[in-house]
Amino acid sequence: WLHTSGTNLIASPVAEAVLFAMETAHAAGVPVSLDLNLRFEFKSPAFRKALDYAIELSDVVMGSGTDEIPLITAPGTPEEMARRLSGGKRTVVARLGAEGSLGVSPDGSVSFAPAYKVKIVDALGAGDIYSAGFIAASLEGRGLPDCLRFANAAAALSLRFAGGRHSPTKAEVETLLVEQPTP
């Protein structure tokens, strides 16, 4: 699995190297995912071109359903925007913060998983932990609904610590999934 971030597409030569790696993985049938991770550089035409190409190479695109996905698709509900970004070609995951997350698969099916309720100490790094949780669940062969739940649980556990440095173990995530099966 190759996972990258939109921040890696900002400047040369990193952008070219990342796109080459994505092309190579895509051609070899290795799953490719992109966390949009959009910041102020979005207005750069070169960045937008690289981002559009990275999306085309991705099997999974993840991003904030309220802050990032609206920047690259026509306005609408998170589900409508995720469907447009999916285009029947890729899974799109819209992180919705305290509301949970929504996923649209290439066949158009939609899944939703509510957020886990935890005491938030620091949100730094929660999106990265979410991506890691989603990928880990995907690699285990879990379906989209379970991948969303697993990622939500992993991110929720990371919110309980300061500094964005806590990566929950699989056992911790599985425990939360059992303790709160349907948050």
Side-chain angles (χ1 to χ4, degrees), residues 7-181:
T7 57
N8 292 326
L9 303 172
I10 296 171
S12 189
V14 175
E16 290 84 359
V18 167
L19 291 172
F20 177 76
M22 293 177 80
E23 288 171 343
T24 303
H26 183 75
V30 173
V32 176
S33 59
L34 171 69
D35 186 343
L36 294 171
N37 213 354
L38 301 178
R39 300 294 185 261
F40 300 108
E41 70 282 343
F42 185 72
K43 294 182 180 181
S44 158
F47 175 77
R48 180 58 196 249
K49 182 178 178 183
L51 179 66
D52 288 343
Y53 187 47
I55 291 169
E56 282 303 311
L57 294 170
S58 297
D59 299 295
V60 178
V61 174
M62 298 181 227
S64 166
T66 57
D67 298 332
E68 296 171 323
I69 293 174
L71 292 174
I72 56 177
T73 185
T77 67
E79 179 180 334
E80 291 166 342
M81 292 183 293
R83 281 185 183 282
R84 281 193 291 276
L85 187 55
S86 170
K89 299 177 185 176
R90 67 195 57 82
T91 297
V92 173
V93 175
R95 294 185 303 262
L96 304 172
E99 300 302 315
S101 58
L102 173 128
V104 175
S105 62
D107 68 7
S109 62
V110 177
S111 300
F112 174 78
Y116 288 84
K117 305 301 180 200
V118 296
K119 182 180 181 208
I120 299 172
V121 173
D122 191 348
L124 184 65
D128 294 328
I129 297 298
Y130 181 97
S131 295
F134 186 90
I135 292 167
S138 294
L139 287 170
E140 289 183 348
R142 299 180 190 216
L144 183 57
D146 287 336
C147 289
L148 296 173
R149 281 190 289 277
F150 193 92
N152 283 348
L157 290 170
S158 77
L159 294 169
R160 302 176 310 152
F161 298 90
R165 298 276 184 207
H166 179 73
S167 298
T169 65
K170 181 180 179 188
E172 290 173 319
V173 174
E174 294 290 356
T175 297
L176 182 57
L177 289 169
V178 169
E179 290 174 353
Q180 296 182 35

